[in-house]
Amino acid sequence: MSLIGCDIVLIKNAWLNGGSVDLRVSDAIQEIGPHLTPAPGESVLDAGGGEVLPGLHDHHIHVFAAAAAYGSLDCDVGSGTVADCRDRLAQRLASATGSDWIRGVAYHEQQLGELDRWALDALCRDRPVRIQHRSGKLWVCNTLGLELLQLNASDQIAGVERDSQGRLNGRIVRNDALIAQRLEATGGGVQPDVQDLSRMLAQLGIVGVTDTSAHNNQQSQKDFDRLRRTGEILQRVELMGDDSLDSGYLKILLDADQLPPLDDLVQRINAARTKGRNVAFHCVSHLELVFALAALADAANPEAGFDRIEHGSVVNDEMALRLASLGMPVITQPGFIYTKGDRYLADLTGSELSDLYRFRGLQDLGVPVIASSDAPYGPVSPWQVISTAANRQTLKGIAVGPAERVSAEQALAGYLTPTSALHRQVSFAEANQVVAGTPADLCILQGKWSEVRDKAERAMVRATLIGGSVAFDSGSEP
Ligand SMILES: [Zn+2]
């Protein structure tokens, strides 16, 4: 029998704090005891001795992009010469299902060389194609795609690149909003399947997400509210976004190549402060981090203590001490070490490598560090992220920055920490609280944590409850 959607459940035979317990839950945990008797008609979920944890919260994810990515063509074509790689991509494009837009993700110039519309036309000219760089920063369209987006060489639009002769070259930098608007206006926008993504997140034990997309606005807020109401999104959603939002973090995308005037940035921060909002800075380089802290120093309430750094891909000790003094957490993505680490090893040297996606070293200097996914750009599974935080191993099994290893518990603690507590490092013991009276957001593992922790990437979830409702039940028949 499927328990999905059940709202009052007796969980039997769960493992909690080193002992076997039963839990009775409605929207909150009502009762925890050694042997609870099912009330008449009460649904029973047998945890099979699995560890019960608070549900996980992914503090950095892009919900719509992740949903779209799972229905997209993978343009990560492996190693070889550029010509070989382009052949492989041409084959994938030729065998893509459907007849309209092909949406590709995860292209990298080390494999495919620099792409523009003409290079893409050579690979596929009979269907509109748009391909996203693996950084998420850039889209490349073929000629048919550009036509469908109704972009003209005479338009002056931010991020729409031209070649030396003034022709559109198909590259659109950091303007996802433009693509989304044009797709919508021209009927080419296929709504990504958010429902599938949400169910997959539930399967991973995730009960809440923070969508960190910089372009989130009032409309996004309404969309998320609706998707939550209709149950298409099961998880609790926190939103950061642009200047139009009245709550949530203001997300500031810093790009070392195109830093804004400092005064403009300070003004944006101050305007957000007047709404009671805090600020989240996208910082992947040292320069971006220096700039973010300079802006904060000039802005109102620089010691609010609740601003945050996203990624913190490169943080040296000096910057870490400054972050520690401000109580600013780094929301990091150890998963990048796993998926991109082999490329980092080929591209970077010395301190570039040792300062990369630090974890332990930052914590030792007093910076709260929280692991998250950045899906779809990093691996979505918290269990893969936790495993990589503990072993720092790339796909090929080579360690990057082994001094930055933390325990699996420390990495998991971040997923169990509420957003309101990110500004101080919460220990696993403190974060891992399953007690009566708290919301029934639960992740029940298959097996005890002590049995799965050393191979966390293989952790399987027995069931996930969100507000007492069963969002995932591995025992339910398909
Ligand atoms: Zn992100």
Side-chain angles (χ1 to χ4, degrees):
M1 186 190 68
S2 172
L3 290 179
I4 290 187
C6 275
D7 285 337
I8 299 187
V9 181
L10 183 65
I11 302 167
K12 298 286 289 177
N13 193 20
W15 194 255
L16 177 66
N17 300 328
S20 182
V21 295
D22 299 344
L23 301 92
R24 176 169 282 118
V25 303
S26 58
D27 52 348
I29 301 170
Q30 294 181 340
E31 198 180 356
I32 301 177
H35 296 288
L36 303 181
T37 313
E42 196 168 50
S43 309
V44 174
L45 190 153
D46 184 355
E51 187 97 21
V52 57
L53 298 166
L56 279 65
H57 186 103
D58 190 338
H59 287 282
H60 187 125
I61 187 171
H62 304 274
V63 169
F64 286 103
Y70 294 109
S72 296
L73 185 81
D74 184 4
C75 299
D76 184 347
V77 289
S79 54
T81 65
V82 166
D84 288 344
C85 289
R86 287 191 177 190
D87 279 349
R88 247 173 269 153
L89 180 58
Q91 283 166 18
R92 288 188 195 181
L93 288 164
S95 54
T97 53
S99 57
D100 50 4
W101 273 102
I102 298 176
R103 181 188 196 279
V105 293
Y107 117 70
H108 195 267
E109 64 277 2
Q110 271 179 355
Q111 297 173 340
L112 294 161
E114 294 291 348
L115 285 183
D116 58 21
R117 69 190 279 192
W118 300 286
L120 265 189
D121 284 347
L123 304 179
C124 177
R125 65 174 76 243
D126 54 354
R127 286 179 68 179
V129 178
R130 65 182 191 279
I131 285 183
Q132 188 184 40
H133 190 263
R134 70 159 188 184
S135 65
K137 232 157 77 163
L138 165 75
W139 285 93
V140 188
C141 296
N142 68 354
T143 297
L144 209 47
L146 276 183
E147 284 169 7
L148 277 183
L149 292 179
Q150 299 183 343
L151 291 171
N152 301 309
S154 55
D155 300 339
Q156 291 292 335
I157 301 174
V160 177
E161 279 188 9
R162 287 175 176 68
D163 71 359
S164 55
Q165 299 169 47
R167 298 176 300 177
L168 296 181
N169 66 8
R171 294 163 64 93
I172 302 173
V173 183
R174 280 250 158 95
N175 200 344
D176 286 19
L178 170 75
I179 297 174
Q181 280 161 14
R182 295 290 168 102
L183 285 173
E184 206 168 28
T186 57
V190 181
Q191 269 299 92
D193 202 331
V194 171
Q195 193 163 338
D196 284 355
L197 174 76
S198 175
R199 267 112 198 112
M200 182 182 71
L201 294 175
Q203 204 168 350
L204 292 166
I206 293 176
V207 302
V209 294
T210 300
D211 192 292
T212 54
S213 307
H215 55 77
N216 281 333
N217 56 20
Q218 304 243 1
Q219 184 59 45
S220 323
Q221 179 81 64
K222 285 182 195 150
D223 291 343
F224 275 110
D225 289 348
R226 177 178 51 77
L227 292 164
R228 274 283 286 157
R229 257 195 329 272
T230 59
E232 284 164 87
I233 294 183
L234 302 167
Q235 284 75 22
R236 300 177 194 276
V237 179
E238 295 177 28
L239 216 59
M240 55 174 73
D242 72 10
D243 311 72
S244 74
L245 291 175
D246 293 322
S247 61
Y249 285 83
L250 170 66
K251 173 76 180 286
I252 294 180
L253 272 183
L254 291 176
D255 193 337
D257 298 336
Q258 286 180 308
L259 291 172
L262 190 63
D263 287 350
D264 292 2
L265 185 53
V266 170
Q267 270 184 24
R268 287 182 69 195
I269 296 171
N270 286 342
R273 295 267 195 254
T274 62
K275 295 183 185 175
R277 300 179 68 193
N278 292 296
V279 185
F281 293 94
H282 164 104
C283 289
V284 297
S285 73
H286 174 69
L287 182 61
E288 289 162 8
L289 186 56
V290 169
F291 195 76
L293 294 193
L296 275 184
D298 283 358
N301 304 322
E303 283 164 41
F306 288 91
D307 301 321
R308 44 190 265 185
I309 298 294
E310 308 302 308
H311 313 300
S313 319
V314 179
V315 182
N316 64 22
D317 282 0
E318 185 197 337
M319 297 309 287
L321 288 168
R322 290 182 58 191
L323 291 175
S325 71
L326 293 168
M328 272 181 95
V330 169
I331 315 302
T332 188
Q333 292 85 34
F336 286 140
I337 297 287
Y338 178 67
T339 55
K340 301 181 180 176
D342 293 307
R343 242 172 251 157
Y344 296 145
L345 285 167
D347 294 351
L348 307 175
T349 53
S351 68
E352 289 176 319
L353 267 178
S354 57
D355 287 348
L356 198 63
Y357 290 105
R358 298 177 67 188
F359 203 142
R360 172 87 184 249
L362 299 183
Q363 286 189 326
D364 287 350
L365 293 169
V367 183
V369 185
I370 303 290
S372 62
S373 74
D374 199 17
Y377 312 109
V380 70
S381 165
W383 309 107
Q384 180 63 57
V385 169
I386 290 164
S387 170
T388 306
N391 65 29
R392 302 282 295 186
Q393 280 182 9
T394 68
L395 266 164
K396 289 184 182 162
I398 303 167
V400 175
E404 299 297 332
R405 285 178 181 139
V406 294
S407 68
E409 286 75 17
Q410 191 61 72
L412 175 55
Y415 278 96
L416 307 184
T417 300
T419 306
S420 57
L422 295 183
H423 58 290
R424 60 187 180 85
Q425 192 73 60
V426 174
S427 69
F428 178 63
E430 188 186 346
N432 182 27
Q433 295 284 337
V434 175
V435 289
T438 56
D441 288 359
L442 299 172
C443 164
I444 304 167
L445 295 176
Q446 296 186 23
K448 300 181 178 72
W449 171 247
S450 60
E451 295 162 352
V452 301
R453 69 176 298 280
D454 292 334
K455 290 272 177 213
E457 76 280 6
R458 295 195 199 155
M460 301 281 282
V461 171
R462 166 69 188 86
T464 302
L465 284 81
I466 304 175
S469 182
V470 179
F472 170 69
D473 172 8
S474 68
S476 77
E477 285 156 41

